[in-house]
């Protein structure tokens, strides 16, 4: 279980996502209970995505937290065909309205989520595997001036870009790549 995938926090919204893999879909129930408690403390709103049909029906709407990065009022959503789909991105745009700008970021098909190829450390630095992007040169303008620590594709596959920023001095990530 990866708690980043079934729930996304954007502003005061706790979004309970629709996971692509059927064996993971029941995870959201537990996170919904947690979100409801958090919403009480933070004047939040728990938002459920529309119900999906069983299996991999073409009308299903998928959005997974590993594909979503919040960068102020800009939201980056990765899409590779393995998790989040176009319908999920459109749903998110409609849910957030004009307050946020949602950017679709195409990924190579072997990349599960955006967080497997990119990590934002702060407003100007990040970790990236450029080869994981279908069109790296067309990343959103807001990411073009970042200073990137670049990792190789084989390192990204082993989660070199996947960590958790705790504060301005602390990042939790694997110790398998000390050079990163």
């Amino acid at each position: 279980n990866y708690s980043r995938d079934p729930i996304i926090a954007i502003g005061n919204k706790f979004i309970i996502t629709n996971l692509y893999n059927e064996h993971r879909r029941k995870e959201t129930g537990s996170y919904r209970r947690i979100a409801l408690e958090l919403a009480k403390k933070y004047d939040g709103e728990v938002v459920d995505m529309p119900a999906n049909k069983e299996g991999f029906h073409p009308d299903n709407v998928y959005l997974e937290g590993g594909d979503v990065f919040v960068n102020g009022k800009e939201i980056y959503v990765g899409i590779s065909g393995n998790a989040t789909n176009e319908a999920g991105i459109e749903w998110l745009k409609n849910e957030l309205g004009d307050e946020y700008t949602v950017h679709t970021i195409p990924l190579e098909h072997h990349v599960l989520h955006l967080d497997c190829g990119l990590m934002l450390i702060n407003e100007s630095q990040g970790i990236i595997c450029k080869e994981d992007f279908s069109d790296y040169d067309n990343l959103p303008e807001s990411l073009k001036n970042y200073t990137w620590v670049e990792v190789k594709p084989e390192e990204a596959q082993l989660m070199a870009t996947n960590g958790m920023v705790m504060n301005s001095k602390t990042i939790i990530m694997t110790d398998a790549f000390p050079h990163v």
Side-chain angles (χ1 to χ4, degrees):
N1 291 342
Y2 296 93
S3 58
R4 178 178 170 109
D5 296 334
I7 187 169
I8 303 167
I10 300 176
N12 72 335
K13 293 179 187 271
F14 295 92
I15 299 170
I16 308 302
T17 68
N18 285 344
L19 300 176
Y20 180 79
N21 286 316
E22 198 154 9
H23 69 276
R24 293 196 62 203
R25 293 180 189 169
K26 291 185 180 182
E27 292 176 32
T28 58
S30 297
Y31 291 104
R32 187 173 199 293
R33 286 191 293 278
I34 294 168
L36 287 168
E37 285 302 311
L38 287 171
K40 290 178 195 171
K41 295 178 185 175
Y42 297 103
D43 191 29
E45 173 188 3
V46 177
V47 179
D48 291 305
M49 291 187 69
N52 277 338
K53 296 178 176 142
E54 200 172 312
F56 299 103
H57 194 278
D59 293 340
N60 283 354
V61 178
Y62 303 113
L63 181 68
E64 297 198 10
D67 278 324
V68 179
F69 277 96
V70 179
N71 189 15
K73 295 293 183 180
E74 297 207 41
I75 312 296
Y76 312 116
V77 185
I79 187 166
S80 65
N82 298 309
T84 296
N85 64 5
E86 291 286 348
I89 295 170
E90 285 306 310
W91 178 88
L92 183 63
K93 287 178 181 179
N94 290 332
E95 177 62 34
L96 297 177
D98 295 335
E99 188 177 349
Y100 293 89
T101 301
V102 178
H103 300 277
T104 300
I105 300 183
L107 302 167
E108 293 294 328
H109 185 68
H110 70 273
V111 181
L112 177 60
H113 290 130
L114 182 58
D115 66 4
C116 296
L118 171 81
M119 179 176 162
L120 301 180
I121 296 171
N122 56 39
E123 61 280 338
S124 64
Q125 298 173 308
I127 303 170
I128 196 166
C129 178
K130 291 180 178 179
E131 293 86 352
D132 282 350
F133 296 84
S134 298
D135 192 2
Y136 172 78
D137 292 331
N138 282 319
L139 285 178
E141 268 316 299
S142 50
L143 294 175
K144 298 238 172 154
N145 292 323
Y146 266 66
T147 301
W148 296 109
V149 173
E150 294 184 36
V151 300
K152 298 173 188 157
E154 56 273 14
E155 294 172 322
Q157 287 293 309
L158 297 172
M159 301 300 169
T161 61
N162 201 319
M164 185 178 347
V165 177
M166 302 303 291
N167 58 46
S168 65
K169 296 180 182 180
T170 308
I171 301 170
I172 298 173
M173 57 188 299
T174 180
D175 63 358
F177 308 103
H179 62 282
V180 175

